Amino acid sequence: MAIIMDGNGRWAVARGRPREWGHRQGARAVRRVVEAAPDLGIGTLTLYAFSSDNWQRPAHEVRTLMRLFRSYLRREVPELLENGVRLEVLGRRDRLSPELVRAITAAETATAAASRLRLRLAVDYSSRDILVSAAQLAAAAGGANLDRDSFAARVGEAMGLREATPEVDLLIRTGGEQRLSDFLLWECAYAELTFTSKMWPEFGKDDLSAAVREFRARDRRFGKVTAAAG
Ligand code: FPP
C-alpha cells in the first residue's frame, strides 16, 4: 500500500494556523497509520513525504519539513522496533543535510531486522527520475533481454534496493486531489486508486481500515475477464 499524504497546508490555513502546523499534525497522522497498518494486514506501506518538486516551496516550509523528518527518524526508532517496523527511505540523499542523512542511516540500520511492517518513506523522491536512472542502468548493461521483470529489478536497483521494486496494490491520496504527482509510476501499473477529500492531518485508523475494506471488495482483473463474467 502507498499513500500520498496531501492537505496538511490547507487544513492548517482553514484553521487560521500556519502551514507548518499542519505538517506537524501530519506527522501525528503518520504515527497513527504506522501503528494501525500491521493489524490491517498491510505488509508494506510507502508514504510520500517530500517530492523532488517540493524543493520549490518556500524555504521556511522546506526547513520545517526536513526538521520534522529528522525528529521523526530520531525519536520514533524505539516505537518502530516495538511494533516490528523496518524503515527504509527512498529518494535522493545528496540534497539532504548531513544530519538528516545520518538520522536516516541510523534508523534504517536499527530497524533492519524487523519484519512485521516494511515502512518506506519517500523523501526527495521523483518517480520519473528513478525511471530515467533505471533506463540508464539497463542501457549500461547492454539492454539485451530487457523485459518487465528485469526492468523492475533495475528500478529497484535505481532505488538502492537489492530486489525488484515492489508493486503497489492500493494507493490512497488524501486532500481531495486526484493525481499521481510523480509517485511510484511503474509500481502503480495495476494499483487500485482511492481518493478521499479528508485532509491528511485528520486521517486515522478508521479511514485506513475503510480503504482496505474497499480495496478487498474491488474486482481486480489485471486486464483479464473475471470468471463470473465468463
Ligand atoms: C502535503 O500537504 C504534504 C507534504 C508535502 C508533506 C508530508 C509531510 C508530512 C505528513 C509530515 C511529516 C512526515 C513524516 C514522515 C514525519 P500539502 O502541504 O501539499 O498540503 P496542501 O495541498 O493543503 O498545501
Side-chain angles (χ1 to χ4, degrees):
M1 173 188 287
I3 307 182
I4 301 179
M5 310 182 286
D6 196 14
N8 294 345
R10 278 168 290 156
W11 184 82
V13 170
R15 281 156 186 78
R17 308 288 287 265
R19 295 176 52 81
E20 286 79 356
W21 182 70
H23 293 313
R24 281 195 290 278
Q25 301 308 310
R28 298 171 74 151
V30 168
R31 288 189 190 99
R32 288 198 293 273
V33 162
V34 169
E35 203 184 302
D39 290 339
L40 293 169
I42 298 165
T44 300
L45 176 63
T46 309
L47 302 177
Y48 205 3
F50 192 88
S51 80
S52 294
D53 289 324
N54 287 151
W55 289 114
Q56 294 163 52
R57 292 190 174 206
H60 57 90
E61 181 169 343
V62 170
R63 252 196 320 274
T64 300
L65 282 167
M66 294 298 152
R67 256 189 238 131
L68 267 177
F69 300 148
R70 204 173 71 197
S71 68
Y72 177 85
L73 292 165
R74 279 190 184 157
R75 286 193 203 151
E76 224 62 15
V77 168
E79 181 134 355
L80 294 177
L81 284 173
E82 212 169 288
N83 291 319
V85 181
R86 169 179 159 204
L87 183 119
E88 286 164 30
V89 175
L90 316 177
R92 285 178 64 163
R93 299 197 183 179
D94 58 313
R95 297 188 287 200
L96 306 179
S97 72
E99 295 81 19
L100 179 54
V101 174
R102 270 199 293 277
I104 291 171
T105 315
E108 285 180 334
T109 308
T111 62
S115 60
R116 205 161 152 252
L117 174 69
R118 181 174 180 190
L119 173 64
R120 308 161 84 215
L121 286 185
V123 177
D124 196 358
Y125 173 88
S126 156
S127 187
R128 287 191 296 190
D129 285 352
I130 296 283
L131 292 174
V132 169
S133 303
Q136 284 167 341
L137 288 167
N145 304 321
L146 190 66
D147 58 14
R148 288 179 183 183
D149 288 342
S150 55
F151 191 71
R154 295 295 179 206
V155 176
E157 192 182 341
M159 293 165 97
L161 304 174
R162 284 203 198 92
E163 74 279 5
T165 186
E167 296 268 311
V168 174
D169 47 13
L170 169 63
L171 175 81
I172 302 171
R173 180 172 187 141
T174 63
E177 313 287 359
Q178 303 192 356
R179 51 178 171 257
L180 292 178
S181 301
D182 199 12
F183 189 46
L184 301 171
L185 301 178
W186 173 270
E187 295 85 343
C188 281
Y190 275 103
E192 295 294 327
L193 309 179
T194 317
F195 300 100
T196 166
S197 54
K198 204 165 242 201
M199 300 288 145
W200 178 251
E202 296 181 300
F203 196 85
K205 184 181 175 170
D206 290 349
D207 302 296
L208 190 68
S209 157
V212 170
R213 231 176 301 123
E214 187 186 330
F215 169 75
R216 295 208 172 115
R218 295 230 185 140
D219 180 19
R220 303 192 78 202
R221 294 191 296 278
F222 299 97
K224 303 174 198 137
V225 286
T226 50

